[in-house]
Amino acid sequence: SPSLPAAVMAAGPPPPLEPSPLPVFSEEGFGDKFLRKTRENPLVPLGCLCTVGVLTYGLISFKRGNTRRSQLMMRARILAQGFTFAALLGGMVVTAMKSKN
C-alpha cells in the first residue's frame, strides 16, 4: 500500500515542465532611489539639510570667536538631529503600517 505523502503527491496536478519565468526588476541607480525615498519621506532630507546648515553656521561662529552664537548653534544642531531622527522613525512606522495592510 502506498504511503500517505505519495498518495497526496499523486493526487495533485503534475509539475510544469518548464520553470515559470522570474519577474524582471529594473536596476535602480542612486539618484533614482534617492528621489523615490525623498518623495516617500521628505522630512528626512529636510532635517539633514537643516542639521548641516546649523552645524556650518556654528563652526563659522566658533572660528570668528563668537562663542555665545556658536554654543547656541550647537544646541540647535542637537534639535535638528533629533527632528531628523524622529522623521526617520516616523517614516519607518508609516512604511511598516502600509506593508501590513
Side-chain angles (χ1 to χ4, degrees):
S1 95
S3 65
L4 184 61
V8 171
M9 285 176 51
L17 294 176
E18 294 182 18
S20 57
L22 295 173
V24 177
F25 296 105
S26 63
E27 196 62 34
E28 186 179 35
F30 175 77
D32 295 331
K33 185 174 182 179
F34 179 78
L35 288 175
R36 180 174 57 84
K37 294 284 187 182
T38 300
R39 276 188 232 105
E40 287 174 9
N41 192 354
L43 295 178
V44 172
L46 181 67
C48 289
L49 285 174
C50 287
T51 302
V52 169
V54 169
L55 176 64
T56 303
Y57 188 57
L59 289 173
I60 290 170
S61 297
F62 180 75
K63 187 173 181 179
R64 289 181 180 166
N66 191 345
T67 55
R68 186 173 171 84
R69 177 162 292 145
S70 175
Q71 284 293 315
L72 184 66
M73 289 300 107
M74 290 305 116
R75 290 183 185 126
R77 177 188 56 86
I78 298 295
L79 290 174
Q81 280 181 293
F83 171 80
T84 305
F85 187 69
L88 188 63
L89 283 179
M92 289 171 60
V93 168
V94 168
T95 302
M97 296 300 248
K98 280 183 185 177
S99 68
K100 215 178 228 187
N101 294 338

